[in-house]
Amino acid sequence: MRRPRAAAVVPLLLALCAAAALGSVLGSGPAGADEVAPPQEVVAGHVLRPLPLAGRHVVIDPGHQLGNARFPAETARLVEAGGFRKACNTSGTATDAGYAEATFTWEVSRRLAERLRRAGATVMLTRDGDSPDRWGPCVDERGTAGNADGADLKVSVHGDGSYAAGAHGFHVIAGDEASLRVAEVLRGALEDAGFARATYVAGGDGLDLRTDLATLNLSQMPAVLVELGNMRDAGDAAVMTSPAGQERFASALASGVRRWLR
């Protein structure tokens, strides 16, 4: 038998390689045709790796709304809170200089959402802006947000307003033991970012277990509420009102979310 000449072998090898490469992209049969590749990070046209939170769904709840105080009848309406009823919402606290908790929570939440989306997550925000002409949503809506979509995690962002002498620092609140494990992870991420545990609540360990919060009680996924600092403390307020400080909070929370969902 005559052997094929080298000149004829080279084109044949190239064709076989091209077919193999095409098969790896398209899949080898019906099963491969139905598969959807996870979102991937692309830099300068090159695919680097699958995004770490691809396929994950996170609900972020920016506490309060800037206009709540202007709608007392609406926010005082009683709603379901998990076996009992409580007011739809409140106006929240503020710094001594008047910087509203609602604005702080919105600024941190939108930064957090951006970071999580860049990591591949689907993110739902319970409100879409910070307006003095708007109120709500009520705590029952915040609590049920994401339930129908099978969300993986809910993080409710808040600032505290204690007048206790020297009160400062953050703490993380959970509504049950399962969510308390999430709270521990977020506590670690905030500490790694240089934030101090609260000195005035939760026994100084930065964790609290409460059953009176509708946002946690009505969530069908692990859910935590983070009090990122005491807005009545001058030191905490300086960080909480600065864009750089808000970026630090968002970065720390994003790190914690990634640790939990990895």
Side-chain angles (χ1 to χ4, degrees):
M1 175 185 285
R2 294 179 59 189
R3 295 182 179 178
R5 292 178 299 171
V9 172
V10 172
L12 177 61
L13 290 175
L14 291 175
L16 290 173
C17 290
L22 181 61
S24 68
V25 173
L26 298 179
S28 57
D34 292 335
E35 293 173 359
V36 178
Q40 294 175 315
E41 184 176 12
V42 179
V43 177
H46 300 286
V47 175
L48 300 184
R49 60 185 181 275
L51 293 173
L53 295 184
R56 296 296 200 166
H57 186 166
V58 181
V59 179
I60 302 173
D61 174 43
H64 309 287
Q65 171 61 276
L66 190 58
N68 277 359
R70 298 180 59 189
F71 297 90
E74 290 82 353
T75 56
R77 177 172 59 88
L78 296 180
V79 299
E80 172 60 27
F84 59 97
R85 296 170 70 79
K86 66 187 305 182
C88 159
N89 214 306
T90 67
S91 58
T93 188
T95 67
D96 288 344
Y99 186 91
E101 178 188 359
T103 299
F104 166 70
T105 65
W106 172 251
E107 291 298 328
V108 172
S109 294
R110 69 176 185 83
R111 287 171 164 84
L112 173 58
E114 180 181 354
R115 288 173 180 271
L116 296 181
R117 285 172 177 144
R118 287 204 305 264
T122 297
V123 179
M124 173 191 294
L125 286 158
T126 60
R127 58 181 170 105
D128 58 9
D130 186 51
S131 170
D133 299 318
R134 298 175 65 182
W135 61 275
C138 295
V139 290
D140 58 334
E141 295 180 61
R142 294 170 186 265
T144 57
N147 286 353
D149 303 306
D152 298 294
L153 178 65
K154 181 177 295 175
V155 179
S156 186
V157 180
H158 286 259
D160 211 356
S162 174
Y163 285 97
H168 67 274
F170 77 87
H171 64 285
V172 189
I173 304 170
D176 54 36
E177 291 294 334
S179 294
L180 193 59
R181 293 195 292 272
V182 182
E184 290 171 348
V185 172
L186 290 186
R187 177 185 65 180
L190 286 163
E191 287 188 309
D192 289 348
F195 296 107
R197 297 179 184 180
T199 59
Y200 61 101
V201 68
D205 68 359
L207 299 174
D208 201 3
L209 190 62
R210 290 174 55 176
T211 59
D212 62 323
L213 300 174
T215 302
L216 304 184
N217 292 345
L218 300 177
S219 294
Q220 295 175 357
M221 76 285 304
V224 294
L225 187 152
V226 288
E227 297 278 12
L228 291 174
N230 180 19
M231 300 191 78
R232 294 296 179 176
D233 175 75
D236 281 4
V239 177
M240 297 170 83
T241 58
S242 72
Q246 292 160 2
E247 287 285 355
R248 283 181 60 207
F249 282 119
S251 177
L253 292 174
S255 177
V257 169
R258 288 180 60 162
R259 292 179 195 179
W260 175 256
L261 294 177
R262 67 183 178 183

